[in-house]
Amino acid sequence: MLSYQQAGARALTDYLGTEAEIDFQEVNQIIAKFKDHAAHLCLKRMGRKPEEVWYESVPMEAVQVLIIEWTHGNNPRLQGIDLPILLNSTPEETLAHRRSRNRDGNTDSAFTTLVLAIEQQKLYDQAKTAGLIVLKNGELVDYATLVATYGQKGGSANGLDI
């Protein structure tokens, strides 16, 4: 059973935050259009179901700063990011926040725990390139302080080293 769990964790690690999951080219095009002072950007809006996906034309004439708040906002596949920021939280804090918002079914499932742990490790792996690191309490820290506080690894999931 453990070998199945380890294989599943490896497959998720190879998927989450990669081109297999995310259309980085689309996001990079949005960033480039914003920097080219596009009058409007066509932004993807998503609900919780596949049929709840649509695009909305958003006016940009008066917008001077584009903030991309996203788990993968510090991903090296993104181009044109002027100030990469890590909004740090532990998998436990993220899970508690999801519970408080009643986000998604099966919030307390082993699968959700695994996904959060893998994403946390990816965030920690990218943290050294962040121009700004903000802890959950609002404190600004540097990379050395982040590592000293939380350790080198972002976490593990159900005893599976990720």
Side-chain angles (χ1 to χ4, degrees), residues 99-121:
R99 278 189 203 115
S100 73
R101 293 182 305 171
N102 236 356
R103 181 174 175 182
D104 301 327
N106 299 317
T107 299
D108 292 316
S109 72
F111 179 77
T112 299
T113 301
L114 178 61
V115 168
L116 292 177
I118 291 168
E119 287 180 336
Q120 185 70 39
Q121 186 59 53

Side-chain angles (χ1 to χ4, degrees), residues 2 5 7 11 13 19 35 40 46 68 77 81 87 100 103 112 114 120 136-137 152 161-162:
L2 183 60
Q5 291 172 331
T13 299
E19 291 90 351
K35 287 187 163 204
H40 288 81
M46 298 174 62
I68 302 173
R77 292 170 181 91
I81 302 295
L87 301 175
S100 73
R103 181 174 175 182
T112 299
L114 178 61
Q120 185 70 39
K136 183 92 170 146
N137 66 4
Q152 194 66 31
D161 230 4
I162 54 171

Side-chain angles (χ1 to χ4, degrees), residues 111-145:
F111 179 77
T112 299
T113 301
L114 178 61
V115 168
L116 292 177
I118 291 168
E119 287 180 336
Q120 185 70 39
Q121 186 59 53
K122 289 181 179 244
L123 292 172
Y124 272 56
D125 291 346
Q126 298 167 11
K128 63 181 88 52
T129 63
L132 193 63
I133 299 173
V134 184
L135 300 182
K136 183 92 170 146
N137 66 4
E139 181 183 356
L140 300 178
V141 299
D142 60 12
Y143 178 69
T145 303

Side-chain angles (χ1 to χ4, degrees), residues 1-13 114 159-161:
M1 181 72 157
L2 183 60
S3 63
Y4 288 115
Q5 291 172 331
Q6 290 170 333
R10 278 192 302 277
L12 275 170
T13 299
L114 178 61
L160 301 174
D161 230 4

Side-chain angles (χ1 to χ4, degrees), residues 58-78:
V58 178
M60 291 285 136
E61 293 94 351
V63 178
Q64 296 179 6
V65 176
L66 179 65
I67 297 173
I68 302 173
E69 191 280 322
W70 175 33
T71 301
H72 305 289
N74 197 23
N75 192 297
R77 292 170 181 91
L78 288 179

